[in-house]
Amino acid sequence: MSRSRRVEDLCRHLQQHPEAINLAFMEGAVSCLLAMYEETSDKVVQMQLREALALLGYVRPVTGRGIRILSIDGGGIRGILAIELLRELERLSGQPVYQMFDLICGVSTGALLACLLGPLKRSLDEVEELYTRLGTAVFTQTRLKGTTKLLWEHSYYDTEAWRVILQQNLGMQPLIAFSRDQAAPKVAAVSTLVSSDQLQAFIFRSYNHPHHVQSHYQGSSRYKVWEAVQASAAAPGYFQECRIGDMLHQDGGILVNNPAAIAIHEARQLWPQEPLQCVVSIGTGRFAPSMLSTRPTAAAAAAAAPDATSWMTKIRKFVDSATDTEGVHTILTELLPTHSYFRLNPYLTENVLLDDSHPDKLRQLKEDARMYLRKNSFKLGRAVTELNRQRRRHQRFIDWIHLKRDTHGF
C-alpha cells in the first residue's frame, strides 16, 4: 500500500510539473521503477509503474518484427467505411484491432475511432452502434436552428451536446493513463492549433517521448481523452472551436486529413532502431464522378468557360485541396516498400457529406466498403500477413539485454 501511494504521488507530481521529468530521469528514476516492477507482483502497483515509466518517456519494445502503424483519415460519418475495412482485417487476422498495431493515429473521426478501438478496446459492433447513435443525436438539426447557431456561435450543430456525448462514451481519464494497460497500443490524435501565429498540427498523445527526443510537432499527454477527440473533430462551421487552457483547436483535417506521415514520424521517435513492419492507412472514401461519354467540343467548352470563378467555388476548391488525402498517399508510395505500406480507401458511388447520417446513406457506405473489399481481397491478405509476423528470437534476446541494462543503470 505504501509503494502504491508513493508511485501514485510520483505520477501526479510529473503530470503537474512536466519540467521535473528531466531531473527525475537524470536521477535514475527509470532504473528504480524498472527494478520495482520486477520485484512486485501486485497488479495495481504494476499499472501505476507503467504510467510512471511512460511519463518519464520509457518505451517498451514492440511485440512484432517491427513497428505496426494504423492511420485513420478524417471524414465525419464516413468513418463507417473505416469500421467495415477494419472488420475485415480482424476477420482475416483473428485478432482485435488493439492487438494488431503498436501505434494508432487518427484525425477527426479517425481520432474517435483510434481511441475507441485502441486503448478503450471497444468492439467494432459497439463502435458502429455508437456511430449510428451519434449521427442521430448530433447531426439532427432543423435548418432554421442550425443557421441561427451558425450566425451566433459559428457552429451549425450543438457543440455542448457533442461534448457531453464524448465525455459519456470516452470517459474522463487523461491520455497518459492508457499506458497503465500493457496490451493497449499507443494512440495519437491530430488537431489544428489556430491560436498561434501560424496554423500548425498539434498531437494529443497517450505517451511521452524518450529522454532527449524532440518531435517535430507540438503535443502533450496530459489532456483528457474526450478533449483530444473534441479538438481533433472541431470542424469549422459544424462545431465551435475547442479551447483547452490557453490554446484554441480546430479540426485536424484543416492541415492534415491523412495523418499517415505524422504517425510514421511519431513512431520513429518512439522506436528509432526498429524497422517499419507494416503501415495500414485507412481512408473514408473518395468520390470521382463518372465522365459522360458525350463530351463537348473544345470550341463549345471554351465558349462555356466562365471569365472568373465565384467566391464559393474558390473556397470549395481551397478546402478540397487542403483536405486532400491522396497526396500523402502518393508520397508514401514512393518512399515506403510495397510490402510494408497498404492504403485502403474505397471509391464512393455518390458523394456523402460528413454530417449526412440518413440510414440510406449509411447503408450505401457499407455497400461501397464491401464492394471495395471484394475487389481488394488480395491486398488485405498481404497486409494481414505482414501484421502477423512475429518477433524473431534474436530480437527478443536484444530486448532482454536492453531491459537488464535499463534496470541496473548500465
Side-chain angles (χ1 to χ4, degrees), residues 24-75:
F25 184 92
M26 298 300 295
E27 291 292 328
V30 170
S31 298
C32 175
L33 295 173
L34 286 174
M36 191 183 299
Y37 192 89
E38 284 193 347
E39 294 171 4
T40 183
S41 59
D42 186 279
K43 300 299 182 183
V44 175
V45 176
Q46 288 179 345
M47 291 170 58
Q48 294 168 332
L49 287 168
R50 284 194 287 267
E51 180 178 348
L53 287 166
L55 284 164
L56 291 169
Y58 180 78
V59 182
R60 293 186 179 275
V62 296
T63 56
R65 191 167 295 184
I67 308 171
R68 300 168 301 172
I69 299 172
L70 173 62
S71 168
I72 310 177
D73 292 3

Side-chain angles (χ1 to χ4, degrees), residues 195-312:
S195 53
S196 56
D197 293 336
Q198 293 181 330
L199 295 181
Q200 52 186 295
F202 185 94
I203 304 178
F204 294 88
R205 306 180 175 102
S206 67
Y207 53 88
N208 282 348
H209 286 110
H211 189 60
H212 289 320
V213 171
Q214 185 68 39
S215 173
H216 178 70
Y217 302 97
Q218 287 194 57
S220 177
S221 63
R222 70 177 184 269
Y223 299 110
K224 294 180 174 60
V225 56
W226 70 266
E227 291 177 316
V229 174
Q230 184 189 6
S232 182
Y238 292 90
F239 297 111
Q240 288 179 339
E241 298 165 327
C242 179
R243 177 172 292 279
I244 304 176
D246 58 352
M247 295 185 298
L248 205 58
H249 300 264
Q250 282 197 323
D251 195 308
I254 296 175
L255 284 181
V256 186
N257 209 32
N258 177 351
I262 288 182
I264 293 172
H265 171 78
E266 290 290 294
R268 289 295 193 193
Q269 306 303 308
L270 292 169
W271 301 284
Q273 304 301 323
E274 293 285 349
L276 281 178
Q277 177 177 338
C278 188
V279 179
V280 178
S281 174
I282 293 186
T284 54
R286 44 186 168 156
F287 179 62
S290 57
M291 300 298 292
L292 297 176
S293 57
T294 55
R295 298 181 179 179
T297 62
D307 294 331
T309 57
S310 65
W311 275 108
M312 184 59 67

